Amino acid sequence: MANIDKEVWKGDQIIGTLGSAEYHRKKGRSAMLDRYSVVKLMNVFFARALARRMPQSTPTVIVNTVNPGMCKTELNRDLPFPFGAIMSRAQGLIAFTAEEGSRQLVFAAVGEQKNPETLQGKFIMGGAPLEESDFVVSEEGSKVEGRLWKEVVQILSGVDDKVQGIVEEYANR
């Protein structure tokens, strides 16, 4: 459901473009409205890229992206009126309990113990892996996934110079 401009995927930097003031001035309010679904899509791409690069080891390291859904928590407790009241009412009507939401995380980690490779690099929601979009599994999506992986590693390497060595040793297949 992500609405992403081709200029983002075709440009020099995916993350840099999405985070730039210029992009937001040009796109206006729609840039922020699309942000949630775009970030979810980027999580899917990154999880798939990381899962593909994990060494075959015992025990298997499981890499998935999880959407626990809206959960009743105290995260909104400091929202000003009327936003806090609206969120509280919405959570009361449609949200899962924190325990119910946490089941998604547990399933993503151990849901397929007998065949862990079937639950690797997936997007988990509703207690099951969701089918990837046509874009995610397309040739263009695969290129975006690879570029996003490189960008994230580059950004993290700028924060800690150990990142590149760790990636080269453990996650460079």
Side-chain angles (χ1 to χ4, degrees), residues 69-92 94-96:
M70 180 188 279
C71 296
K72 297 174 199 169
T73 67
E74 293 294 317
L75 289 175
N76 299 317
R77 68 182 167 271
D78 294 328
L79 284 176
F81 185 83
F83 303 111
I86 292 168
M87 286 302 295
S88 180
R89 181 74 175 140
Q91 284 181 344
I94 61 172
F96 297 111

Side-chain angles (χ1 to χ4, degrees), residues 2-20 22-24 26-27 30-31 34-35 38-39 41-42 45 135 140 143-145 147-148 151:
N3 183 20
I4 305 144
D5 295 323
K6 284 194 181 228
E7 72 180 81
V8 172
W9 301 133
K10 304 251 185 221
D12 292 339
Q13 294 183 330
I14 297 169
I15 296 171
T17 300
L18 289 171
S20 73
E22 178 185 331
Y23 178 75
H24 286 271
K26 187 172 106 182
K27 289 286 292 175
S30 69
D34 294 336
R35 185 54 49 101
V38 169
V39 169
L41 177 60
M42 291 174 68
F45 278 134
F135 176 67
E140 184 178 10
K143 289 176 185 175
V144 169
E145 178 183 304
R147 287 185 53 219
L148 184 62
E151 282 187 41

Side-chain angles (χ1 to χ4, degrees), residues 21-153:
E22 178 185 331
Y23 178 75
H24 286 271
R25 275 193 299 276
K26 187 172 106 182
K27 289 286 292 175
R29 189 168 182 245
S30 69
M32 289 310 292
L33 294 174
D34 294 336
R35 185 54 49 101
Y36 182 81
S37 59
V38 169
V39 169
K40 289 282 188 197
L41 177 60
M42 291 174 68
N43 284 334
V44 168
F45 278 134
F46 189 81
R48 288 169 54 90
L50 180 58
R52 237 187 281 293
R53 288 165 173 81
M54 293 308 301
Q56 300 300 316
S57 62
T58 305
T60 301
V61 175
I62 305 295
V63 179
N64 290 307
T65 303
V66 181
N67 180 5
M70 180 188 279
C71 296
K72 297 174 199 169
T73 67
E74 293 294 317
L75 289 175
N76 299 317
R77 68 182 167 271
D78 294 328
L79 284 176
F81 185 83
F83 303 111
I86 292 168
M87 286 302 295
S88 180
R89 181 74 175 140
Q91 284 181 344
L93 293 172
I94 61 172
F96 297 111
T97 65
E99 187 271 328
E100 289 169 328
S102 71
R103 292 177 194 165
Q104 305 304 311
L105 299 167
V106 173
F107 176 79
V110 298
E112 295 291 336
Q113 289 181 333
K114 292 184 181 178
N115 300 308
E117 68 282 351
T118 63
L119 195 63
Q120 184 70 293
K122 301 294 183 185
F123 179 72
I124 309 298
M125 191 167 100
L130 293 183
E131 183 179 347
E132 295 89 349
S133 70
D134 290 343
F135 176 67
V136 169
V137 298
S138 72
E139 185 177 330
E140 184 178 10
S142 181
K143 289 176 185 175
V144 169
E145 178 183 304
R147 287 185 53 219
L148 184 62
W149 170 263
K150 288 177 184 174
E151 282 187 41
V152 171
V153 170

